[in-house]
Amino acid sequence: MHLQTTVLLAGFLFVCYVIGSLIWELLFSAARAVPGPLASRFSRLWYFSKVREGSFHHENIALHERHGQVVRVAPGYFSISTTDKTVYGIGSKFPKGDWYQGWKHPSPERWTLFPDQNSKRHAETRKRFQGLYSMSSLLSYEPYVDECIDIFLDKLSQFARSGTSINLVHWFQCYAFDVIGEITYSERFGFLDNGDDVAGTMAALEKSMTYSTLVGIFPKLHQYIYPVMEKIPGSGAAGRTYLMSFVQRKISERSQAKQDGAYRPQARGSGDGAAPQDFLDKLSEAQQQNPDKVTPYHIFMMGLSNIIAGADTTAISLSSVLYYLMTSPQAWSKLRKEIEEHGLRERRATFKDSQEMPYLQAVLKEGLRMHPATGLPLWRVVPQGGVQIGDHWLPPGSNVGVNSWVAHYDKKVYGEDADIFRPERWQEAKDAGGERLKQMEANFMPFGLGSRTCLGRHISTLEMSKLVPEIVKNFDLTLGMPKEEWKTVNHWFVMPEKLPVTLHCRNAS
Ligand code: HEM
């Protein structure tokens, strides 16, 4: 067949497909009444291109403002603006959608907790390991956090003395990665010490993230693309492979050190002097107690999950809190006053202190509301029987999801000033009592919802609650860009492009 005929035939088939999809979507599809952009009726390409552009959170908010509670973003993919309990509640029958497949290795046995679509296996695993992330476990992690805070503050003091302008986003990444390294393997990656991306880990993760986010929109392609991409240095798939080998190396080193009798947990930080216990020790202990249920794969998988899920998310949240504090001088002063009144001028805030400071808690909460770290709908699959959301019935097999950004900027819930950073709103709602606060809490979902809510949320709260008071009490910060230049790239994690600041040490003579 001539090339020209082939092209014409392909063009003809494409036009037939577009017309056929349109007829199907407009006349026969069970969810044909759900509004949305016209292009979203044909294929997932419209959604793919918007996600690729990196600002889907803004697009998503605008879509709901224009069309209401349920919006189509692709055939069979419906973004909803309410944190519906049927979809997300504990015991929900809505498993995670196929988009999450991009977040795992294509081979079925290489599963991890976050993207797991097997609800039974997920529930069992989560139950087995949730103790490691509990509030009571935090005590054993606090010394690791203290050690990283010491180095972080030391670096900031050096920058203040030299008058160097720094990108706080980068330094928060260094802090968050090193804390996760410490908590998981008693070892920093070395980002704080070097001030740089050691062995390309951050870059690897970023590429891996973009790859997973985009390939997840066409999940059937993942099994074919991944093996090819894995071989291309610098690609997202190669990044993931690098992280997997890093985790495996840490586990082997620990087991070798134990065999050689060379492993000695170190006392650290400003704790009581006792050696804290890291994740790897706790996991190994669990394995010894129950070797049938806790396998070497579990130990590998949980360590990998911590790095992928726990580092950038915390860095993003810290960046947002500091950006909003710097651009709200009143909130900054009020927080500093609370810190000093709590007697923390001369000593480090413990986690317990931080929990007794209501304004600090409101600042962190409002920062997470204004800028949740993830910025795409949390896709779930509608089970047999379909689901009614507002005025729309969505058929079984469709994907439905709330984007935290949509929930957090809902003016019906947070008021007309929902797009303004105002920590006081939380206390006001509490004082008013009743429904208002309940609604605000129900829509607040920086850590996700229900049975798939973030396992590491207490750990990240520990990291943020201890670091923010130290920065606010020790330094005056000047933002090195106009407020409006706060820009982000959303490839699932909504990463700020930069946060340039100069610092002044308050206690410098
Ligand atoms: C401020 C920091 C953090 C934010 C905003 C955050 C956000 C989230 C969100 C939104 C989810 C659920 C996503 C979904 O439903 O698809 C999630 C899950 C998860 N997060 Fe976090 N996270 C943070 C820190 C951490 C840390 C520090 C760790 C580990 C040490 C961690 C470990 C996990 C894990 C293991 C899951 C999967 C839970 C499951 O599927 O059962 N996260 N996180």
Side-chain angles (χ1 to χ4, degrees):
M1 204 186 306
H2 289 300
L3 181 66
Q4 199 183 12
T5 321
T6 314
V7 171
L8 277 174
L9 185 62
F12 174 72
L13 288 175
F14 179 70
V15 171
C16 288
Y17 169 76
V18 169
I19 295 173
S21 310
L22 192 60
I23 292 174
W24 167 260
E25 279 293 337
L26 288 175
L27 299 180
F28 302 109
S29 155
R32 59 188 175 276
V34 178
L38 185 64
S40 73
R41 289 189 182 264
F42 305 128
S43 76
R44 295 178 199 167
L45 280 176
W46 179 84
Y47 180 54
F48 178 86
S49 71
K50 290 293 162 187
V51 172
R52 194 168 165 272
E53 279 168 20
S55 56
F56 188 73
H57 49 310
H58 297 309
E59 182 85 37
N60 210 174
I61 293 171
L63 281 175
H64 281 285
E65 281 175 357
R66 206 174 312 137
H67 298 293
Q69 191 183 0
V70 187
V71 177
R72 174 199 316 273
V73 299
Y77 280 72
F78 305 104
S79 168
I80 58 174
S81 61
T82 39
T83 50
D84 196 290
K85 282 224 164 50
T86 328
V87 180
Y88 290 106
I90 303 279
S92 142
K93 300 275 180 286
F94 291 61
K96 282 197 163 180
D98 285 349
W99 175 75
Y100 287 92
Q101 284 180 18
W103 291 86
K104 61 177 276 296
H105 192 280
S107 130
E109 63 272 14
R110 305 274 284 273
W111 60 282
T112 55
L113 195 68
F114 161 66
D116 200 4
Q117 293 180 285
N118 178 336
S119 302
K120 188 165 173 280
R121 179 174 62 189
H122 169 267
E124 278 168 14
T125 316
R126 188 169 166 123
K127 201 166 155 206
R128 184 151 303 123
F129 297 114
Q130 64 193 4
L132 275 69
Y133 299 85
S134 66
M135 278 297 239
S136 50
S137 281
L138 291 191
L139 274 184
S140 66
Y141 304 137
E142 196 163 352
Y144 294 120
V145 177
D146 278 323
E147 186 159 311
C148 291
I149 291 181
D150 283 342
I151 305 173
F152 185 87
L153 294 178
D154 200 44
K155 291 283 175 186
L156 290 200
S157 302
Q158 287 173 27
F159 295 132
R161 281 196 295 275
S162 63
T164 314
S165 165
I166 57 161
N167 178 7
L168 257 191
V169 180
H170 170 73
W171 281 95
F172 283 143
Q173 281 181 298
C174 294
Y175 168 74
F177 267 94
D178 274 350
V179 172
I180 288 296
E182 283 277 16
I183 286 177
T184 316
Y185 303 113
S186 289
E187 193 179 318
R188 292 190 293 283
F189 288 89
F191 296 140
L192 277 174
D193 307 73
N194 290 290
D196 211 353
D197 184 2
V198 180
T201 314
M202 285 185 203
L205 193 54
E206 202 176 310
K207 284 190 179 128
S208 163
M209 205 80 68
T210 305
Y211 170 77
S212 302
T213 299
L214 295 177
V215 85
I217 299 173
F218 297 100
K220 287 200 171 67
L221 299 181
H222 181 41
Q223 58 184 312
Y224 305 110
I225 300 179
Y226 189 93
V228 179
M229 299 287 278
E230 201 179 17
K231 296 192 175 63
I232 303 175
S235 75
R240 187 179 181 82
T241 305
Y242 169 79
L243 284 173
M244 291 194 296
S245 54
F246 171 86
V247 170
Q248 200 53 65
R249 196 169 65 242
K250 288 284 149 220
I251 296 169
S252 310
E253 281 169 11
R254 174 73 53 91
S255 116
Q256 190 62 49
K258 278 188 173 164
Q259 271 176 29
D260 300 347
Y263 176 59
R264 303 261 180 284
Q266 300 285 312
R268 286 161 193 257
S270 56
D272 58 6
Q277 227 195 349
D278 66 14
F279 248 77
L280 193 48
D281 276 341
K282 291 187 188 200
L283 285 166
S284 308
E285 228 173 70
Q287 192 189 22
Q288 273 165 13
Q289 284 161 10
N290 203 346
D292 294 340
K293 300 278 182 193
V294 181
T295 65
Y297 183 73
H298 282 116
I299 297 184
F300 165 78
M301 183 273 284
M302 292 308 290
L304 184 65
S305 297
N306 277 6
I307 299 172
I308 293 183
D312 272 336
T313 41
T314 306
I316 292 169
S317 306
L318 277 167
S319 305
S320 133
V321 168
L322 262 291
Y323 166 76
Y324 284 110
L325 273 176
M326 276 190 277
T327 50
S328 321
Q330 235 189 326
W332 181 286
S333 310
K334 204 166 158 181
L335 179 57
R336 187 176 271 172
K337 191 159 171 267
E338 183 182 62
I339 295 166
E340 294 183 353
E341 282 174 2
H342 203 82
L344 295 175
R345 190 76 181 91
E346 306 301 332
R347 67 174 175 89
R348 168 79 46 87
T350 61
F351 182 61
K352 189 168 171 292
D353 286 316
S354 73
Q355 299 307 294
E356 293 159 0
M357 295 160 72
Y359 197 66
L360 170 65
Q361 293 309 319
V363 163
L364 296 178
K365 203 161 180 175
E366 185 71 348
L368 289 169
R369 183 188 72 80
M370 292 294 289
H371 191 120
T374 63
L376 297 176
L378 309 178
W379 295 117
R380 303 291 188 264
V381 182
V382 177
Q384 278 308 316
V387 67
Q388 183 77 29
I389 308 270
D391 296 337
H392 296 283
W393 184 79
L394 306 177
S398 34
N399 280 260
V400 61
V402 182
N403 185 335
S404 314
W405 284 74
V406 171
H408 288 189
Y409 281 79
D410 189 336
K411 294 195 165 100
K412 291 191 291 306
V413 177
Y414 294 102
E416 280 307 310
D417 66 349
D419 47 6
I420 290 173
F421 175 79
R422 207 170 61 78
E424 287 74 13
R425 77 176 73 247
W426 293 97
Q427 190 59 46
E428 287 163 11
K430 202 170 172 186
D431 294 343
E435 271 314 296
R436 182 82 205 284
L437 182 64
K438 255 196 212 155
Q439 251 192 326
M440 285 167 65
E441 295 286 5
N443 252 47
F444 183 66
M445 47 173 289
F447 296 112
L449 292 164
S451 58
R452 305 306 292 255
T453 196
C454 175
L455 257 183
R457 64 193 182 284
H458 299 312
I459 294 178
S460 65
T461 308
L462 171 73
E463 293 177 57
M464 295 190 288
S465 305
K466 282 176 67 80
L467 183 62
V468 171
E470 294 308 314
I471 299 175
V472 171
K473 84 175 188 214
N474 285 312
F475 300 96
D476 289 319
L477 268 62
T478 309
L479 185 58
M481 67 180 186
K483 193 176 158 188
E484 303 70 39
E485 276 184 24
W486 170 251
K487 301 229 166 69
T488 56
V489 179
N490 172 6
H491 284 151
W492 170 239
F493 286 173
V494 188
M495 183 60 82
E497 277 179 0
K498 59 178 180 185
L499 186 56
V501 298
T502 44
L503 303 112
H504 173 75
C505 264
R506 285 181 79 213
N507 41 15
S509 49

